[in-house]
């Protein structure tokens, strides 16, 4: 019984999308716009064709994923426990998992909060250097990432506060990359990763972290985007924009 019986007709439309490049990489990162149902239908279709051994989720902690992996009927409950909303639009992904193991890569919230005070390298642990967390970013990249965080937060916070958010992003990218590599070692290729497009970008996201930590491991990053903004992926697939309220309206005054 599928998790969402209303999905299959729509999912069939996406099964006609082109296959990934051949040969398939060891780790395939499937980026997304979190609130876009069509992005998740596309990810589900790729998973159905890819037949990965494991799928690593940005949204689930290791414990939440263990619960979902042990009992597929408990997936919705594990999702609710994670604090992520809109399980219904993610349900097609779980319908398309097949026999793939469910792996959680979300860092505990308390660890993420401590990045601001203790630093990403300290929180990550002994392997921080392997993922580059023990070195400063080049100034041009840091400035670009500050600006992206500033815009993502509706320009409502001082620009100088963005360095902490950049550090959190680097920490989370490294945590996701480590989880994907551990899944690859445990289950074999191919492994898929479900994460936001910001984490899937090839220049400094999960693929770049993996390339630094494990140069012999191949990756392929596919971004499901609402428009081609020039963010680097190995491939993009443009999906219709989701209907949504202005996310910055609470910061706007008359």
């Amino acid at each position: 019984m599928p998790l969402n019986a209303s999905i299959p007709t729509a999912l069939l439309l996406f099964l006609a999308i082109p296959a990934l490049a051949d040969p398939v990489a060891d780790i395939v990162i499937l980026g997304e716009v979190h609130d876009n149902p069509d992005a998740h239908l596309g990810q589900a279709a790729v998973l159905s064709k890819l037949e990965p051994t494991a799928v690593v989720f940005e949204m689930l902690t290791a414990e939440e994923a263990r619960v979902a992996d042990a009992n597929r009927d408990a997936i919705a409950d594990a999702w609710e426990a994670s604090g992520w909303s809109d399980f219904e639009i993610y349900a097609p992904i779980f319908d398309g998992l097949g026999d793939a193991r469910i792996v959680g890569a979300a860092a505990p919230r308390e660890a993420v909060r401590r990045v601001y005070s203790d630093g990403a390298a300290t929180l990550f642990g002994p392997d921080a250097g392997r993922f580059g967390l023990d070195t400063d970013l080049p100034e041009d990249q840091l400035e670009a990432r500050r600006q992206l965080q500033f815009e993502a937060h509706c320009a409502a916070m001082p620009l100088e506060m963005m360095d902490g958010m950049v550090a959190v992003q680097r920490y989370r990218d490294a945590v996701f990359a480590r989880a994907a590599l551990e899944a690859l070692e445990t289950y074999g290729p191919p492994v898929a990763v479900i994460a936001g497009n910001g984490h899937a970008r090839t220049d400094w996201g999960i693929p770049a972290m993996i390339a630094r930590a494990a140069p012999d491991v191949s990756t392929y990053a596919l971004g499901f985007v609402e428009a081609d903004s020039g963010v680097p992926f190995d491939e993009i697939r443009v999906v219709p924009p989701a209907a949504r309220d202005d996310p910055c309206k609470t910061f706007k005054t008359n």
Side-chain angles (χ1 to χ4, degrees), residues 212-236:
R212 180 180 183 120
D216 292 337
V217 172
S218 60
T219 64
Y220 193 88
L222 194 167
F224 286 92
V225 301
E226 295 181 339
D228 184 359
S229 62
V231 174
F233 303 99
D234 293 304
E235 180 182 349
I236 65 167

Side-chain angles (χ1 to χ4, degrees), residues 187-217:
Y187 303 113
V191 166
V193 180
I194 300 293
N197 281 323
H199 299 295
R201 56 187 299 158
T202 55
D203 53 354
W204 63 57
I206 298 168
M209 291 283 189
I210 291 173
R212 180 180 183 120
D216 292 337
V217 172

Side-chain angles (χ1 to χ4, degrees), residues 50-238:
L50 183 64
E51 297 182 342
T53 61
V55 180
V56 178
F57 286 87
E58 168 191 352
M59 304 83 188
L60 300 174
T61 65
E63 180 56 33
E64 290 159 354
R66 277 193 289 270
V67 171
D69 191 54
N71 178 7
R72 298 301 169 101
D73 291 334
I75 289 174
D77 292 337
W79 191 265
E80 182 177 356
S82 75
W84 280 76
S85 59
D86 297 324
F87 175 73
E88 288 301 308
I89 67 172
Y90 279 88
I93 295 173
F94 291 100
D95 285 341
L97 286 184
D99 295 329
R101 306 298 297 269
I102 299 172
V103 177
R109 291 181 181 87
E110 59 272 18
V112 172
R113 286 193 293 267
R114 286 180 58 197
V115 170
Y116 290 95
S117 58
D118 298 353
T122 299
L123 265 293
F124 193 81
D127 280 346
R130 182 183 175 208
F131 292 86
L133 295 180
D134 62 341
T135 59
D136 293 335
L137 292 175
E139 188 56 38
D140 58 342
Q141 185 185 138
L142 177 59
E143 182 54 38
R145 295 178 71 156
R146 280 193 196 114
Q147 192 62 40
L148 284 173
Q149 290 290 340
F150 184 65
E151 294 167 3
H153 291 83
C154 303
M157 301 169 65
L159 185 61
E160 56 267 23
M161 293 182 63
M162 298 302 106
D163 284 18
M165 294 182 179
V166 172
V168 166
Q169 185 84 352
R170 291 182 74 194
Y171 172 75
R172 296 181 70 214
D173 285 338
V175 170
F176 300 158
R178 178 172 61 186
L181 289 170
E182 289 174 350
L184 179 66
E185 182 177 357
T186 302
Y187 303 113
V191 166
V193 180
I194 300 293
N197 281 323
H199 299 295
R201 56 187 299 158
T202 55
D203 53 354
W204 63 57
I206 298 168
M209 291 283 189
I210 291 173
R212 180 180 183 120
D216 292 337
V217 172
S218 60
T219 64
Y220 193 88
L222 194 167
F224 286 92
V225 301
E226 295 181 339
D228 184 359
S229 62
V231 174
F233 303 99
D234 293 304
E235 180 182 349
I236 65 167
R237 294 183 185 165
V238 179

